[in-house]
Amino acid sequence: MNLRGLKYVERRGDIFQLRIPVPKDLQERIGRKEIRWTLNTSERSPAARRAMRAALVFHELCDNLRSMPDLSKNTTKQIIQRFYQTLCE
């Protein structure tokens, strides 16, 4: 598996990192314009797999947040923190 087509993956030093832009309609609720996540690997193949998994989960999360417009900013931030925790496991 290669990193072509994974435009949000970049190498920072020896480690790959994922940088996913937050959709404009959710930036205020999430409080960020971009989500950064270390892929904890210097190898391309595991980085690509982790990046695809993280991007899929993040886009599903965004869809879910859109379907719950009444969530408070605090609750939304807690959901995003759980997203990070899930990715780090």
Side-chain angles (χ1 to χ4, degrees):
M1 183 172 295
N2 64 31
L3 294 174
R4 276 190 198 150
L6 295 175
K7 60 184 175 181
Y8 303 122
V9 176
E10 64 181 32
R11 187 181 285 268
R12 300 225 2 135
D14 292 336
I15 301 294
F16 285 99
Q17 182 181 65
L18 179 65
R19 296 175 63 191
I20 304 175
V22 173
K24 288 208 180 263
D25 63 317
L26 295 174
Q27 287 179 2
E28 185 177 330
R29 285 179 64 191
I30 293 175
R32 305 187 79 148
K33 291 184 178 185
E34 178 180 77
I35 299 291
R36 290 179 183 223
W37 177 60
T38 179
L39 297 169
N40 288 326
T41 185
S42 59
E43 297 178 28
R44 289 182 183 278
S45 186
R49 281 193 306 275
R50 292 174 189 172
M52 284 191 281
R53 179 178 149 244
L56 177 63
V57 171
F58 181 71
H59 289 295
E60 288 175 3
L61 175 64
C62 288
D63 290 342
N64 289 334
L65 289 174
R66 286 184 184 104
S67 70
M68 298 180 278
D70 297 331
L71 286 180
S72 69
K73 279 188 177 183
N74 190 37
T75 302
T76 301
K77 286 182 181 181
Q78 290 173 354
I79 291 170
I80 295 297
Q81 287 173 346
R82 279 189 238 132
F83 164 72
Y84 274 124
Q85 290 170 350
T86 301
L87 292 178
C88 293
E89 293 175 351

